[in-house]
Amino acid sequence: MLALAYVHHSTCGFALPALLPLVAPDLGLTDSQGAALTAGYTLLYAVALVPVGVLADRADRPRLLAAGAALWSMATLAASRAHSFGELLALRTAFAAAQATQNPVCFSLIPELFPRGRNTAMAAYNAAIYVGRALSFAAVIVAGRMGAVPEGVAGGGGGPGGVPLGVTLVPLDKLDLSQVSLLYTQGNMAAITPIYDYNFSVLHSVVTEGAWRQLLFWLGPPGLVVAALALLTLGDPRSARSAAGDPFASSRFTAPAVRALSRGRGDSFGG
């Protein structure tokens, strides 16, 4: 469940930077405004981690995670309807604060939920971020199948001769081999695929302007499902220990040492 939340967290987190080449002309953003939406998110996320970590020490952690997932999902949905830089920046701010709930909650929960296999569990959890990044890119394939890509790209009506998925036909005189990979030529047209990079900056060559709204809109609802599942399936071990009357329930890591120290003092006084 925690890894599933992390998958959605990273998918949504990388979506806007991946789609920024489409968002910028659609909203008329300047380079500095685009940087504020990406670098600004990173800064806000970092600043929010500490207060969220303090909150995670005191609040019910699964509920905190569920609230964060619901908020970042609603912010993603709302971003699909943004019409100005100010609106998008405000939503990005709320998005960063909400996403900051993920790791403070999960990094503390995993050792408590998996005391004997915590390293394996942590490795599986951390792998989820890369799955999410891959899904950010895969969103463009989904868009292609649902008609959100232009003519000549698979899913957008198809190209001459049945162009395969992910392949685009462009005129030979507009071919730029520094940006694309050439598969074959067909008359005066070239069949190309983008040269993908780690930051997904080539999405603008595959998805039409305005399709970014559809992609963000599709990404929101799964996070609301994740939030509901977190509420229904996760319990906080700290709350269970408190209910059992454990006076050291506030910390799994310091409790054994404090108990041992208390027993040692008791033995000293008794001896």
Side-chain angles (χ1 to χ4, degrees):
M1 186 64 247
L2 302 179
L4 181 62
Y6 206 13
V7 168
H8 189 262
H9 173 283
S10 58
T11 302
C12 291
F14 281 89
L16 187 63
L19 296 170
L20 194 59
L22 294 175
V23 177
D26 199 10
L27 298 184
L29 303 180
T30 65
D31 290 344
S32 59
Q33 288 173 331
L37 293 174
T38 52
Y41 160 81
T42 304
L43 178 61
L44 289 168
Y45 181 85
V47 170
L49 281 173
V50 174
V52 170
V54 173
L55 183 59
D57 281 336
R58 292 164 170 76
D60 183 286
R61 289 168 292 179
R63 290 183 182 180
L64 181 59
L65 176 61
L71 181 56
W72 83 57
S73 299
M74 290 187 290
T76 302
L77 280 168
S80 70
R81 297 294 181 259
H83 295 286
S84 69
F85 168 72
E87 293 178 7
L88 204 54
L89 182 62
L91 290 167
R92 195 69 171 162
T93 301
F95 181 80
Q99 289 218 311
T101 61
Q102 175 75 33
N103 282 330
V105 167
C106 295
F107 285 164
S108 64
L109 273 179
I110 288 174
E112 298 185 27
L113 294 174
F114 304 95
R116 295 186 178 180
R118 67 182 63 177
N119 292 332
T120 302
M122 194 68 75
Y125 170 78
N126 283 318
I129 190 173
Y130 300 102
V131 176
R133 289 177 182 178
L135 289 177
S136 295
F137 168 73
V140 73
I141 304 299
V142 175
R145 292 180 175 177
M146 299 186 71
V149 294
E151 290 292 328
V153 179
V163 181
L165 183 66
V167 177
T168 308
L169 290 177
V170 299
L172 283 172
D173 59 354
K174 297 185 180 300
L175 180 62
D176 183 356
L177 292 178
S178 67
Q179 300 294 323
V180 296
S181 296
L182 175 64
L183 297 182
Y184 57 87
T185 60
Q186 183 175 324
N188 64 345
M189 304 292 286
I192 61 170
T193 58
I195 299 176
Y196 302 115
D197 64 22
Y198 192 68
N199 294 317
F200 310 110
S201 61
V202 299
L203 287 178
H204 69 279
S205 68
V206 183
V207 188
T208 60
E209 292 184 8
W212 66 270
R213 298 183 183 276
Q214 300 176 51
L215 293 173
L216 292 181
F217 183 80
W218 296 334
L219 288 176
L224 298 176
V225 175
V226 167
L229 289 175
L231 281 177
L232 294 173
T233 63
L234 291 176
D236 194 328
R238 184 170 61 205
S239 299
R241 293 194 301 273
S242 296
D246 186 345
F248 307 106
S250 61
S251 174
R252 179 179 182 86
F253 299 103
T254 61
V258 175
R259 290 193 189 97
L261 180 60
S262 297
R263 285 195 299 267
R265 286 179 178 174
D267 292 342
S268 298
F269 287 122

